[in-house]
Amino acid sequence: MGWPEFGLLLAAGVLGGLTGSIAGLASVATYPALLLAGLPPVAANVTNTVSLVFNGIGSVLGSQPELRGQGGWLRRIVPAAALGGVAGAALLLSTPAEGFEKVVPILLGGSAVLILLPRRSAPAHPGHRPHAGLWASAAILAICIYGGYFGAAAGVLLLALLLTTGTDTLAHANAGKNVVLGVANATAALVFAVFAPVHWVAVIPLGAGCLMGSRLGPVVVRRAPAGPMRIVIGLAGVGLAVKLGVDAYR
């Protein structure tokens, strides 16, 4: 890997960490950068997952004020998040590489469209989170399985779910999302570190960028809307999905 690829991955990590900690968009920025750096799709995906462990660390560190009072429901849901991450990783490793290449454009395109959809406005005051329902836990498990398998915009899905089933502000729901997806991503990364072709040299700049960007993301959520950034990344994701689809199905 040369210096241009190193710089590309560092910049993509900062952008991915920032947008990931804001609205769960990290993989839409970081995964394409790994493809541009020359990694094949499966290697890019597992390398991305390992790198995003640093995104989870930075996001949780930056979300401490909003995490106060959320310990109860997080302790109940973390086992499901960990199980989902492992299941998603196992699903990826049991899927033929050719099949993954064909499904990625669909996943990425669907994720990009979800990013572009209007977000629900958050209430003025944070409240308590009644996430004990079985259906909500099952939905979180399913999202975490998707996160372990591919993960682009898994945070968007989870954020929408948390805002629908709770009474939190966007910042509080975002903080809970950072913990849940951080756990799912970390367990999937452990599986990939042992059984998958992780490109460890690429993890260094991408992970470092993710750590820097994700540490700032929760601060941005408190102070500024993420709408314009979400639109730019969503449109870029649609464009990339079209390109990958043409390459995979031609």
Side-chain angles (χ1 to χ4, degrees), residues 134-188:
L134 181 60
W135 81 267
S137 298
I140 291 174
L141 173 63
I143 292 170
C144 290
I145 292 173
Y146 169 65
Y149 179 77
F150 181 55
V156 175
L157 298 173
L158 185 55
L159 192 59
L161 175 67
L162 297 184
L163 288 172
T164 300
T165 58
T167 56
D168 288 344
T169 63
L170 174 62
H172 284 76
N174 186 65
K177 175 265 295 178
N178 288 338
V179 173
V180 173
L181 283 189
V183 170
N185 193 78
T187 55

Coordinates of all heavy atoms in Angstrom, one line a residue, residues 134-188:
L134 N -40.6 -7.7 23.1 CA -39.9 -8.8 22.4 C -39.7 -8.4 21.0 O -38.7 -8.7 20.4 CB -40.8 -10.0 22.5 CG -40.3 -11.3 21.8 CD1 -38.9 -11.7 22.4 CD2 -41.3 -12.4 21.9
W135 N -40.7 -7.7 20.4 CA -40.5 -7.3 18.9 C -39.3 -6.4 18.7 O -38.6 -6.5 17.8 CB -41.8 -6.8 18.4 CG -42.0 -5.3 18.7 CD1 -42.7 -4.8 19.8 CD2 -41.5 -4.2 17.9 NE1 -42.7 -3.4 19.7 CE2 -42.0 -3.0 18.6 CE3 -40.8 -4.1 16.8 CZ2 -41.7 -1.7 18.2 CZ3 -40.5 -2.8 16.3 CH2 -40.9 -1.6 17.0
A136 N -39.2 -5.4 19.7 CA -38.1 -4.5 19.6 C -36.7 -5.2 19.7 O -35.8 -4.9 19.0 CB -38.2 -3.4 20.6
S137 N -36.7 -6.1 20.6 CA -35.4 -6.9 20.8 C -35.1 -7.7 19.6 O -34.0 -7.8 19.1 CB -35.5 -7.8 22.0 OG -35.7 -7.0 23.2
A138 N -36.2 -8.3 19.0 CA -36.0 -9.1 17.8 C -35.5 -8.2 16.6 O -34.7 -8.6 15.8 CB -37.3 -9.8 17.4
A139 N -36.1 -7.0 16.5 CA -35.7 -6.1 15.4 C -34.2 -5.7 15.6 O -33.5 -5.6 14.6 CB -36.6 -4.9 15.4
I140 N -33.8 -5.4 16.9 CA -32.4 -5.0 17.1 C -31.5 -6.2 16.8 O -30.4 -6.0 16.2 CB -32.2 -4.6 18.6 CG1 -33.0 -3.3 18.8 CG2 -30.8 -4.4 19.0 CD1 -33.0 -2.8 20.2
L141 N -31.9 -7.4 17.1 CA -31.1 -8.6 16.8 C -30.9 -8.7 15.2 O -29.8 -8.9 14.7 CB -31.7 -9.8 17.3 CG -31.1 -11.2 16.9 CD1 -29.7 -11.3 17.4 CD2 -31.9 -12.4 17.4
A142 N -32.0 -8.5 14.5 CA -31.9 -8.6 13.0 C -31.0 -7.5 12.5 O -30.2 -7.7 11.6 CB -33.3 -8.4 12.5
I143 N -31.1 -6.3 13.0 CA -30.2 -5.2 12.5 C -28.8 -5.5 12.8 O -27.9 -5.2 12.0 CB -30.7 -3.9 13.2 CG1 -32.0 -3.4 12.6 CG2 -29.6 -2.8 12.9 CD1 -32.6 -2.3 13.4
C144 N -28.5 -6.1 14.0 CA -27.1 -6.4 14.3 C -26.6 -7.6 13.5 O -25.4 -7.6 13.2 CB -27.0 -6.8 15.8 SG -27.2 -5.3 16.9
I145 N -27.5 -8.5 13.1 CA -27.0 -9.5 12.1 C -26.6 -8.9 10.8 O -25.6 -9.2 10.2 CB -28.2 -10.6 11.9 CG1 -28.4 -11.4 13.2 CG2 -27.8 -11.5 10.7 CD1 -29.6 -12.3 13.1
Y146 N -27.4 -8.0 10.3 CA -27.1 -7.2 9.1 C -25.8 -6.4 9.3 O -25.0 -6.4 8.4 CB -28.3 -6.3 8.8 CG -27.9 -5.3 7.7 CD1 -27.6 -5.7 6.4 CD2 -27.9 -3.9 8.0 CE1 -27.3 -4.8 5.4 CE2 -27.6 -3.0 7.0 CZ -27.3 -3.4 5.7 OH -27.0 -2.5 4.7
G147 N -25.6 -5.9 10.5 CA -24.4 -5.1 10.8 C -23.2 -6.0 10.7 O -22.1 -5.6 10.2
G148 N -23.3 -7.2 11.2 CA -22.2 -8.1 11.2 C -21.9 -8.6 9.8 O -20.7 -8.9 9.5
Y149 N -22.9 -8.7 9.0 CA -22.8 -9.2 7.6 C -22.2 -8.2 6.7 O -21.2 -8.4 6.0 CB -24.1 -9.7 7.1 CG -24.0 -10.2 5.7 CD1 -23.5 -11.5 5.4 CD2 -24.5 -9.5 4.6 CE1 -23.4 -12.0 4.1 CE2 -24.5 -9.9 3.3 CZ -23.9 -11.2 3.0 OH -23.8 -11.7 1.8
F150 N -22.8 -7.0 6.7 CA -22.3 -5.9 5.8 C -22.3 -4.6 6.5 O -21.3 -4.0 6.7 CB -23.2 -5.8 4.5 CG -22.7 -4.8 3.6 CD1 -21.4 -4.7 3.1 CD2 -23.6 -3.8 3.1 CE1 -21.0 -3.7 2.2 CE2 -23.2 -2.8 2.2 CZ -21.9 -2.8 1.8
G151 N -23.4 -4.1 7.0 CA -23.5 -3.1 8.0 C -23.7 -1.7 7.5 O -23.9 -0.7 8.3
A152 N -23.5 -1.4 6.2 CA -23.7 0.0 5.7 C -25.1 0.4 6.0 O -26.1 -0.2 5.7 CB -23.5 0.0 4.2
A153 N -25.2 1.5 6.8 CA -26.5 2.1 7.2 C -27.2 1.3 8.2 O -28.4 1.5 8.5 CB -27.4 2.5 6.0
A154 N -26.6 0.3 8.8 CA -27.3 -0.4 10.0 C -27.6 0.6 11.1 O -28.6 0.5 11.7 CB -26.3 -1.5 10.5
G155 N -26.8 1.6 11.2 CA -27.0 2.6 12.2 C -28.3 3.4 11.9 O -29.0 3.9 12.8
V156 N -28.5 3.7 10.6 CA -29.7 4.4 10.2 C -31.0 3.6 10.6 O -31.9 4.1 11.2 CB -29.7 4.6 8.7 CG1 -31.0 5.3 8.3 CG2 -28.6 5.5 8.3
L157 N -30.9 2.3 10.4 CA -32.1 1.4 10.7 C -32.3 1.4 12.2 O -33.4 1.5 12.7 CB -31.8 0.0 10.2 CG -31.7 -0.2 8.7 CD1 -31.3 -1.6 8.4 CD2 -33.0 0.1 8.0
L158 N -31.2 1.3 13.0 CA -31.3 1.2 14.4 C -31.7 2.5 15.0 O -32.6 2.6 16.0 CB -29.9 0.8 15.0 CG -29.9 0.5 16.6 CD1 -31.0 -0.5 17.0 CD2 -28.6 0.1 17.0
L159 N -31.2 3.6 14.5 CA -31.6 4.9 15.0 C -33.1 5.2 14.8 O -33.8 5.7 15.7 CB -30.8 6.0 14.3 CG -30.9 7.4 14.8 CD1 -30.4 7.5 16.3 CD2 -30.0 8.4 14.0
A160 N -33.6 4.8 13.6 CA -35.0 4.9 13.3 C -35.8 4.1 14.3 O -36.9 4.5 14.8 CB -35.3 4.5 11.9
L161 N -35.4 2.9 14.6 CA -36.1 2.0 15.5 C -36.1 2.6 16.9 O -37.2 2.6 17.6 CB -35.4 0.6 15.6 CG -36.0 -0.4 16.6 CD1 -37.4 -0.8 16.2 CD2 -35.1 -1.6 16.7
L162 N -35.0 3.1 17.4 CA -34.9 3.7 18.7 C -35.8 4.9 18.9 O -36.4 5.1 19.9 CB -33.5 4.0 19.1 CG -32.5 2.8 19.1 CD1 -31.1 3.3 19.6 CD2 -33.0 1.7 20.1
L163 N -35.8 5.7 17.8 CA -36.7 6.9 17.9 C -38.2 6.6 17.8 O -39.0 7.3 18.3 CB -36.3 7.9 16.7 CG -35.0 8.6 16.8 CD1 -34.7 9.3 15.5 CD2 -35.0 9.6 18.0
T164 N -38.5 5.4 17.2 CA -39.9 5.0 17.1 C -40.3 4.4 18.4 O -41.5 4.5 18.8 CB -40.0 4.0 16.0 OG1 -39.6 4.6 14.7 CG2 -41.5 3.5 15.8
T165 N -39.5 3.6 19.1 CA -39.9 2.8 20.2 C -39.6 3.5 21.6 O -39.9 3.0 22.6 CB -39.2 1.4 20.2 OG1 -37.8 1.6 20.2 CG2 -39.7 0.7 19.0
G166 N -39.0 4.7 21.5 CA -38.6 5.4 22.7 C -39.0 6.8 22.7 O -39.7 7.3 21.7
T167 N -38.7 7.6 23.7 CA -39.0 9.0 23.7 C -37.8 9.9 23.8 O -37.8 11.0 24.3 CB -39.9 9.3 24.9 OG1 -39.3 8.9 26.1 CG2 -41.3 8.6 24.7
D168 N -36.6 9.4 23.3 CA -35.4 10.1 23.4 C -35.2 11.2 22.4 O -35.9 11.2 21.3 CB -34.2 9.2 23.3 CG -34.0 8.2 24.4 OD1 -34.6 8.6 25.5 OD2 -33.3 7.2 24.3
T169 N -34.4 12.2 22.7 CA -33.9 13.1 21.6 C -33.0 12.3 20.7 O -32.6 11.2 20.9 CB -33.1 14.2 22.3 OG1 -31.9 13.7 22.9 CG2 -33.9 15.0 23.3
L170 N -32.8 12.9 19.5 CA -31.9 12.3 18.6 C -30.5 12.0 19.2 O -29.9 11.0 19.0 CB -31.7 13.3 17.4 CG -30.7 12.8 16.3 CD1 -31.1 11.5 15.7 CD2 -30.5 13.9 15.2
A171 N -30.0 13.0 20.0 CA -28.7 12.7 20.6 C -28.7 11.5 21.5 O -27.7 10.8 21.5 CB -28.2 14.0 21.3
H172 N -29.7 11.4 22.3 CA -29.8 10.2 23.2 C -30.0 8.9 22.5 O -29.3 7.9 22.8 CB -30.9 10.4 24.2 CG -30.6 11.4 25.3 ND1 -30.6 12.8 25.1 CD2 -30.2 11.3 26.6 CE1 -30.3 13.4 26.2 NE2 -30.0 12.5 27.1
A173 N -30.8 8.9 21.5 CA -31.0 7.7 20.7 C -29.7 7.4 20.0 O -29.3 6.2 19.8 CB -32.2 7.9 19.7
N174 N -29.0 8.4 19.5 CA -27.8 8.2 18.7 C -26.7 7.5 19.7 O -26.0 6.7 19.3 CB -27.3 9.5 18.2 CG -26.1 9.3 17.3 OD1 -26.1 8.7 16.2 ND2 -24.9 9.9 17.7
A175 N -26.7 8.0 20.9 CA -25.7 7.4 21.9 C -26.0 5.9 22.1 O -25.1 5.1 22.1 CB -25.8 8.2 23.2
G176 N -27.3 5.6 22.3 CA -27.6 4.2 22.5 C -27.3 3.4 21.3 O -26.8 2.2 21.4
K177 N -27.5 3.9 20.1 CA -27.2 3.2 18.8 C -25.7 3.0 18.7 O -25.3 1.9 18.3 CB -27.6 4.1 17.7 CG -27.3 3.6 16.3 CD -26.0 4.2 15.8 CE -26.1 5.7 15.6 NZ -24.8 6.3 15.1
N178 N -24.9 3.9 19.2 CA -23.4 3.8 19.1 C -23.0 2.6 20.0 O -22.1 1.8 19.6 CB -22.7 5.1 19.6 CG -22.8 6.2 18.6 OD1 -23.1 5.9 17.4 ND2 -22.7 7.4 19.0
V179 N -23.6 2.4 21.1 CA -23.2 1.3 22.0 C -23.6 0.0 21.4 O -22.8 -1.0 21.3 CB -23.8 1.5 23.4 CG1 -23.5 0.2 24.3 CG2 -23.2 2.7 24.1
V180 N -24.9 -0.1 21.0 CA -25.4 -1.4 20.4 C -24.6 -1.8 19.2 O -24.2 -3.0 19.1 CB -26.9 -1.3 20.1 CG1 -27.4 -2.5 19.4 CG2 -27.7 -1.0 21.4
L181 N -24.4 -0.9 18.2 CA -23.7 -1.3 17.0 C -22.2 -1.5 17.3 O -21.6 -2.3 16.6 CB -23.9 -0.3 16.0 CG -25.2 -0.3 15.2 CD1 -25.2 0.7 14.0 CD2 -25.6 -1.7 14.8
G182 N -21.7 -0.8 18.3 CA -20.3 -1.0 18.7 C -20.1 -2.4 19.1 O -19.1 -3.1 18.8
V183 N -21.0 -3.0 19.9 CA -20.9 -4.3 20.4 C -21.0 -5.3 19.3 O -20.2 -6.3 19.2 CB -21.9 -4.6 21.5 CG1 -22.0 -6.1 21.9 CG2 -21.6 -3.8 22.8
A184 N -22.0 -5.1 18.4 CA -22.2 -6.0 17.3 C -21.0 -6.0 16.4 O -20.5 -7.1 15.9 CB -23.5 -5.6 16.5
N185 N -20.4 -4.9 16.1 CA -19.3 -4.8 15.2 C -18.1 -5.4 15.8 O -17.3 -6.1 15.2 CB -19.0 -3.3 14.9 CG -18.1 -3.1 13.8 OD1 -18.4 -3.2 12.6 ND2 -16.8 -2.8 14.1
A186 N -17.9 -5.2 17.2 CA -16.7 -5.8 17.8 C -16.7 -7.3 17.8 O -15.7 -8.0 17.6 CB -16.6 -5.3 19.3
T187 N -17.9 -7.9 18.1 CA -18.0 -9.4 18.0 C -17.8 -9.9 16.6 O -17.1 -11.0 16.5 CB -19.3 -9.9 18.6 OG1 -20.4 -9.3 17.9 CG2 -19.4 -9.5 20.1
A188 N -18.3 -9.2 15.6 CA -18.1 -9.7 14.2 C -16.6 -9.5 13.9 O -16.0 -10.4 13.2 CB -18.9 -8.8 13.3

